[in-house]
C-alpha cells in the first residue's frame, strides 16, 4: 500500500529527503491524467469539425432534404432515409415502450423473489451486452424468415425494438425505484389495489424518468446501422417507405454514401452525418431538459 | 425485487367478496400481462440462441469442424472455398487490441482525473461530455476513421487505405467512456478513509491514487476493461468502413483485415437467400462472435461480483 515508514526503522544516515522530488512527479501525474481526459474530448471536437467542414456546404444545396437516392453525389438526397428513420422512430416507440415499461413495472412492483425473477434479471443484463449485429441476425432469422416478413420496415423496427428493450427496462426500473415507498403505502391505505396504485401513483410519479430513459434508448436505435444492414435495409431506395416494404434509414443512407468510391459522395455523407447528429442532439437535449425540469419536484 | 406489500394483502382480505373477486381477476390478468412483458427478454435470448445455433448446425453439416477450426483461409464465397475462421478472429482481435491500447490508458487517466483531481462541479460537467463519445453513432466514427484519421496517419506511415490501425485507434476513442465511466464509479466507491490514511503516512497524491485507490478499485477497473473488449469485439460499423474486407492472418496494423462483424455486415448487405452457404456462414460467424462476447461479459460480471470490495 503506502510507502513503508522508513524514517523510524532505519538509521538517520540512510534517510534522504525526497518529498520535493515525489511531489514533482505527482504534479506530472496530474497533468498526464488531465491530458488523458483531454485527448478524448479533443478527438470528439476534431470529429465534429471534420464532419462540418466536409458536409456543411452540401447540406444547403437544393434538394438535399427532398431528393431521393441517386447515383450522382450532387443529386442524392435524404428524403427516403429521413422518412424511414421517422417511421422507425414511431414504430419503436409503439413496440418497445409498452413492453419495456411493462417489464420494468413487473420486475419492480410485482416480481416475487424467486428463481424466475432472478433468471429474468440475469437475462436482461446479458442482453445488454450482446453485439448489435447479432440482433440483426436474430431479426433475419426470426422476423424475415420465420415470420416471413422479409427485408421490411416492420422487421427492422421489431429488431431494433428488441435491441433497445434492455435499455428501456433498466432506465424505467431506475425511475420506478425512485418513487418513494410512502406513496405506495398511502395508496394502499386508501384501499387501492396493486394495479390502481401502480397506474395512478407510481407510474405518473416515475414518468419524467421513464420518458428520459426512453428518449435516450430510442436515440441509440436511431443511430444504429449494423442490425439494419443484416435485416436488409438499403441505401438506394427511391419509393416511399411502407410497413411491409423495403426501407432505408439515416445511418444506412450515410453508410451507403461512405462506401461509394466517388470523392463527391464524401461531402454528401458528411452532410447526412450532420443531420443525424442534429437529430440525436435534439433528442438527447430534450431528454436532459425533461430530467432537469421535473427533477425539481423531488 | 420487492417483497409483496403486507398492507395490500390485508386490505384484500377485508374487501367485500363480490368486489374482490372481479378485482382479483383483473389484477391477476394485469400481473400476467406484465409478466409477459418481462418474459419478452427471455424469449429474445432464446430466439438469439435458437436462430444462431439452428443455422450453425446446418453449416456444420456441410463444413467439418476441422475445416472451420484448422484451416487458415476464409474464402467461403469463392470458387476455391475455405472455411477457416482464424483470419476473421485475427482481424477482430488485432483491431480490438489496438483499441484497448488506446481506451485503457485514456479511460483510466480520465477516471483518475475526474475522481481524484477534478472538483465536483468540474467533474459533473466533464463526465457527460466524455460520455458523449459513447453516444456518437458508430457509422460516424467509421467515416471519421476513413476520411480523417487514415489520411492523417498516411502522412507519417505507409498504410493501406483500409487498415487495422486507424479503425482500432478510433474504436479506442469510442470505448473510452465504457472503461472510464465504470472505473470512475469504482474509484469513487473507495472510501476516503483509505486515502486519508495514506496521506497521513506522507504519501503524495499520485502515490495515493496509484498505490491505494487503484488497487482498492481493481475489480471494477478489470470489469470495465473486459466490458470494453467485449464492446470492441462486437463493434461493426467502424471496422466495415475503415478496416476493409480482406480476411488475413497478420499482426501488421498497417494492413487491411476483416473482422467477424465486418464479414457479417458485408455478406448480409448483398442478398443472401436462406439455404445458401453464404447465409449459413453468417450464422456460423455470428455464433462465434456471440460466444466470445458472452464469455467476456460473464467474466466481467464474475470479476465485478466475486472480487468486489465492500466498504461501509
Amino acid at each position: 500500500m503506502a510507502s513503508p515508514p522508513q524514517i523510524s526503522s532505519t538509521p538517520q544516515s540512510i534517510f534522504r529527503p525526497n518529498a520535493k522530488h515525489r511531489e514533482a512527479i505527482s504534479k506530472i501525474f496530474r497533468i498526464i491524467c488531465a491530458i488523458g481526459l483531454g485527448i478524448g474530448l479533443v478527438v470528439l471536437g476534431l470529429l465534429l469539425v471534420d464532419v462540418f467542414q466536409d458536409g456543411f456546404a452540401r447540406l444547403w444545396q437544393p434538394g438535399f432534404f427532398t431528393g431521393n437516392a441517386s447515383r450522382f453525389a450532387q443529386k442524392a438526397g435524404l428524403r427516403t432515409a429521413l422518412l424511414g428513420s421517422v417511421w422507425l422512430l414511431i414504430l419503436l416507440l409503439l413496440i418497445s415502450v409498452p413492453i419495456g415499461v411493462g417489464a420494468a413495472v413487473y420486475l419492480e412492483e410485482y416480481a416475487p423473489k424467486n428463481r424466475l425473477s432472478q433468471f429474468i434479471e440475469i437475462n436482461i443484463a446479458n442482453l445488454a451486452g450482446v453485439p448489435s449485429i447479432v440482433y440483426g441476425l436474430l431479426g433475419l432469422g426470426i422476423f424475415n424468415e420465420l415470420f416471413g416478413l422479409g427485408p421490411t420496415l416492420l422487421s427492422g423496427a421489431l429488431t431494433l425494438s428488441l435491441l433497445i428493450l434492455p435499455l428501456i427496462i433498466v432506465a424505467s426500473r431506475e425511475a420506478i425505484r425512485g418513487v418513494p415507498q410512502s406513496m405506495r403505502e398511502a395508496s394502499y391505505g386508501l384501499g387501492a389495489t396493486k394495479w390502481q396504485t401502480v397506474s395512478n401513483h407510481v407510474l405518473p410519479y416515475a414518468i419524467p424518468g421513464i420518458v428520459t430513459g426512453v428518449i435516450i434508448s430510442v436515440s441509440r436505435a436511431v443511430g444504429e446501422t449494423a442490425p439494419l444492414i443484416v435485416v436488409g435495409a438499403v441505401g438506394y431506395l427511391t419509393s416511399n417507405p411502407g410497413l411491409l416494404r423495403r426501407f432505408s434509414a439515416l445511418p444506412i443512407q450515410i453508410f451507403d454514401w461512405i462506401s461509394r468510391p466517388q470523392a463527391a459522395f464524401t461531402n454528401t455523407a458528411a452532410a447526412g452525418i450532420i443531420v443525424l447528429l442534429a437529430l440525436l442532439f435534439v433528442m438527447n437535449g430534450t431528454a436532459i431538459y425533461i430530467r432537469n425540469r421535473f427533477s425539481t419536484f423531488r | 425485487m420487492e417483497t409483496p406489500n403486507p398492507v395490500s394483502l390485508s386490505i384484500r382480505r377485508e374487501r367485500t367478496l363480490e368486489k374482490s373477486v372481479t378485482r382479483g381477476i383483473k389484477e391477476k390478468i394485469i400481473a400476467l400481462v406484465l409478466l409477459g412483458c418481462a418474459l419478452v427478454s427471455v424469449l429474445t435470448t432464446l430466439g438469439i440462441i435458437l436462430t444462431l445455433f439452428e443455422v450453425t448446425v446446418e453449416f456444420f453439416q456441410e463444413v467439418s469442424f476441422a475445416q472451420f477450426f484448422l484451416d487458415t483461409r476464409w474464402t467461403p464465397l469463392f470458387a476455391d472455398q475455405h472455411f477457416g475462421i482464424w483470419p476473421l478472429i485475427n482481424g477482430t482481435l488485432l483491431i480490438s487490441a489496438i483499441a484497448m491500447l488506446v481506451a485503457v490508458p485514456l479511460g483510466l487517466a480520465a477516471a483518475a482525473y475526474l475522481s481524484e483531481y477534478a472538483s465536483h462541479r468540474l467533474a459533473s460537467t466533464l463526465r457527460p461530455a466524455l460520455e458523449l463519445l459513447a453516444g456518437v453513432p458508430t457509422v460516424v466514427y467509421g467515416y471519421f476513421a476513413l476520411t480523417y484519421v487514415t489520411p492523417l496517419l498516411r502522412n507519417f506511415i505507409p498504410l493501406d487505405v483500409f487498415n487495422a490501425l486507424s479503425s482500432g485507434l478510433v474504436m479506442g476513442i469510442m470505448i473510452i467512456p465504457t472503461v472510464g465511466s465504470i472505473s470512475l464509479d469504482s474509484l469513487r466507491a473507495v472510501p476516503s478513509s483509505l486515502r486519508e490514511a495514506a496521506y497521513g503516512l506522507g504519501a503524495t497524491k499520485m502515490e495515493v491514487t496509484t498505490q491505494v485507490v487503484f488497487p482498492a478499485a481493481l475489480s471494477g477497473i478489470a470489469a470495465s476493461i473486459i466490458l470494453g473488449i467485449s464492446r470492441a469485439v462486437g463493434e461493426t460499423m467502424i471496422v466495415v468502413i475503415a478496416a476493409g474486407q480482406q480476411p488475413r492472418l497478420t499482426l501488421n496494423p498497417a494492413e487491411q483485415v476483416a473482422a467477424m462483424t465486418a464479414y457479417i455486415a458485408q455478406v448480409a448487405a448483398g442478398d443472401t437467400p436462406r439455404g445458401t452457404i453464404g447465409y449459413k456462414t453468417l450464422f456460423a460467424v455470428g455464433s462465434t462472435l456471440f460466444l466470445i462476447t458472452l464469455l467476456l461479459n460473464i467474466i466481467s460480471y464474475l470479476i465485478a461480483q466475486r472480487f468486489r470490495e465492500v466498504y461501509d
Side-chain angles (χ1 to χ4, degrees):
Chain A
M1 298 282 265
S3 47
Q6 296 159 340
I7 307 161
S8 58
S9 60
T10 51
Q12 199 66 26
S13 59
I14 296 179
F15 176 71
R16 300 258 185 284
N18 62 355
K20 257 189 190 164
H21 174 67
R22 282 163 49 217
E23 285 297 342
I25 293 181
S26 181
K27 285 214 174 90
I28 295 173
F29 180 71
R30 176 191 180 137
I31 295 168
I32 290 175
C33 286
I35 291 174
L37 173 66
I39 288 178
L41 298 176
V42 167
V43 172
L44 181 63
L46 277 178
L47 184 149
L48 293 176
V49 169
D50 176 49
V51 166
F52 271 83
Q53 271 179 351
D54 289 354
F56 198 67
R58 179 71 183 85
L59 196 60
W60 307 111
Q61 282 174 13
F64 184 66
F65 288 93
T66 50
N68 284 328
S70 165
R71 282 186 297 124
F72 305 103
Q74 292 309 316
K75 283 192 190 166
L78 267 184
R79 199 179 70 93
T80 43
L82 213 51
L83 285 175
S85 277
V86 170
W87 267 89
L88 280 176
L89 199 70
I90 295 167
L91 288 172
L92 274 174
L93 289 174
L94 290 177
I95 299 166
S96 62
V97 172
I99 298 178
V101 175
V105 167
Y106 178 80
L107 291 171
E108 284 300 319
E109 305 286 327
Y110 285 82
K113 272 202 170 150
N114 60 15
R115 285 255 177 83
L116 179 65
S117 311
Q118 214 180 351
F119 181 63
I120 294 174
E121 302 237 359
I122 294 175
N123 234 299
I124 291 168
N126 178 50
L127 279 177
V130 173
S132 63
I133 197 160
V134 172
Y135 280 94
L137 291 174
L138 169 73
L140 179 63
I142 301 270
F143 303 130
N144 285 25
E145 300 292 340
L146 194 67
F147 291 3
L149 291 174
T152 55
L153 185 70
L154 183 59
S155 177
L158 288 168
T159 305
L160 288 184
S161 298
L162 293 185
L163 175 74
I164 61 168
L165 210 51
L167 306 179
I168 293 187
I169 294 176
V170 169
S172 306
R173 286 185 70 177
E174 222 157 273
I176 291 170
R177 221 174 292 153
V179 179
Q181 193 60 30
S182 55
M183 284 271 231
R184 298 185 182 88
E185 279 155 10
S187 171
Y188 288 135
L190 292 172
T193 63
K194 188 143 209 165
W195 175 244
Q196 285 169 338
T197 303
V198 168
S199 60
N200 294 330
H201 302 285
V202 176
L203 281 180
Y205 199 93
I207 266 197
I210 293 177
V211 170
T212 303
V214 163
I215 296 177
I216 289 174
S217 312
V218 169
S219 76
R220 156 102 198 270
V222 168
E224 268 300 341
T225 323
L228 293 183
I229 294 178
V230 179
V231 170
V234 285
Y236 46 85
L237 214 64
T238 50
S239 59
N240 281 337
L243 211 52
L244 293 175
R245 290 213 193 137
R246 260 222 140 131
F247 66 108
S248 184
L250 274 177
I252 292 286
Q253 186 67 66
I254 293 166
F255 174 55
D256 180 69
W257 285 336
I258 292 175
S259 39
R260 285 175 191 257
Q262 300 92 325
F265 270 108
T266 305
N267 298 344
T268 313
I273 288 175
I274 295 175
V275 175
L276 178 62
L277 289 180
L279 180 65
L280 295 182
F281 186 78
V282 169
M283 290 178 74
N284 284 297
T286 313
I288 291 168
Y289 173 78
I290 291 174
R291 183 166 58 197
N292 294 341
R293 170 78 177 76
F294 289 93
S295 63
T296 52
F297 284 123
R298 298 193 181 170
Chain B
M1 282 307 286
E2 194 194 329
T3 47
N5 199 314
V7 179
S8 74
L9 293 179
S10 57
I11 287 167
R12 197 164 293 167
R13 261 179 240 122
E14 282 172 24
R15 206 176 286 135
T16 57
L17 188 65
E18 190 189 353
K19 218 175 178 185
S20 75
V21 164
T22 50
R23 267 193 179 180
I25 290 173
K26 192 183 160 203
E27 289 285 313
K28 269 194 184 130
I29 291 173
I30 288 170
L32 277 178
V33 169
L34 294 175
L35 173 64
C37 291
L39 286 176
V40 170
S41 70
V42 178
L43 286 180
T44 309
T45 306
L46 269 181
I48 289 175
I49 293 174
L50 290 181
T51 35
L52 282 183
F53 289 95
E54 186 207 348
V55 187
T56 305
V57 166
E58 284 177 32
F59 173 80
F60 279 117
Q61 282 164 356
E62 281 183 47
V63 178
S64 71
F65 278 104
Q67 279 173 292
F68 194 66
F69 289 110
L70 297 178
D71 201 333
T72 55
R73 276 187 292 167
W74 176 261
T75 55
L77 304 177
F78 295 172
D80 178 27
Q81 283 184 322
H82 287 276
F83 295 96
I85 187 71
W86 294 110
L88 294 182
I89 293 185
N90 180 131
T92 293
L93 292 186
L94 178 62
I95 297 167
S96 304
I98 298 169
M100 294 321 286
L101 284 178
V102 174
V104 171
L106 294 187
L108 292 186
Y113 187 82
L114 292 178
S115 146
E116 305 299 313
Y117 290 99
S119 67
H120 249 286
R121 253 188 94 178
L122 186 64
S124 60
T125 322
L126 286 181
R127 183 180 190 169
L130 194 68
E131 281 172 353
L132 277 182
L133 284 171
V136 175
T138 55
V139 69
V140 179
Y141 278 118
Y143 173 87
F144 183 62
L146 181 69
T147 66
Y148 187 86
V149 178
T150 298
L152 184 74
L153 291 177
R154 284 177 103 186
N155 292 331
F156 310 105
I157 19 176
L159 288 178
D160 290 351
V161 174
F162 302 104
N163 60 76
L165 183 62
S166 46
S167 40
L169 292 177
V170 172
M171 191 191 282
I173 298 289
M174 180 194 87
I175 294 171
I176 291 176
T178 307
V179 176
S181 269
I182 301 173
S183 297
L184 178 57
D185 287 335
S186 58
L187 291 183
R188 281 190 174 157
V190 175
S192 48
S193 59
L194 285 187
R195 294 184 183 88
E196 283 150 14
Y199 285 132
L201 292 171
T204 63
K205 190 125 194 174
M206 176 184 120
E207 287 159 356
V208 171
T209 306
T210 57
Q211 294 172 39
V212 176
V213 181
F214 266 63
L218 200 60
S219 66
I221 293 173
S224 80
I225 292 174
I226 293 170
L227 209 62
I229 300 176
S230 163
R231 247 334 118 68
V233 168
E235 166 46 33
T236 308
M237 294 320 292
I238 299 177
V239 295
V240 174
I241 293 171
Q245 310 283 356
Q246 287 261 320
R248 269 186 205 164
L249 277 180
T250 175
L251 289 177
N252 181 359
E255 279 184 44
Q256 170 165 191
V257 292
M260 290 187 278
T261 49
Y263 174 80
I264 298 174
Q266 176 212 357
V267 172
D271 273 326
T272 38
R274 192 179 168 126
T276 59
I277 188 69
Y279 185 90
K280 289 171 192 167
T281 58
L282 289 182
F283 288 80
V285 177
S287 299
T288 316
L289 178 68
F290 177 70
L291 287 179
I292 293 176
T293 51
L294 182 68
L295 190 70
L296 288 168
N297 292 340
I298 290 175
I299 294 174
S300 166
Y301 175 81
L302 287 181
I303 290 179
Q305 293 292 310
R306 192 69 54 84
F307 301 105
R308 183 165 54 193
E309 310 270 346
V310 181
Y311 303 105
D312 285 325

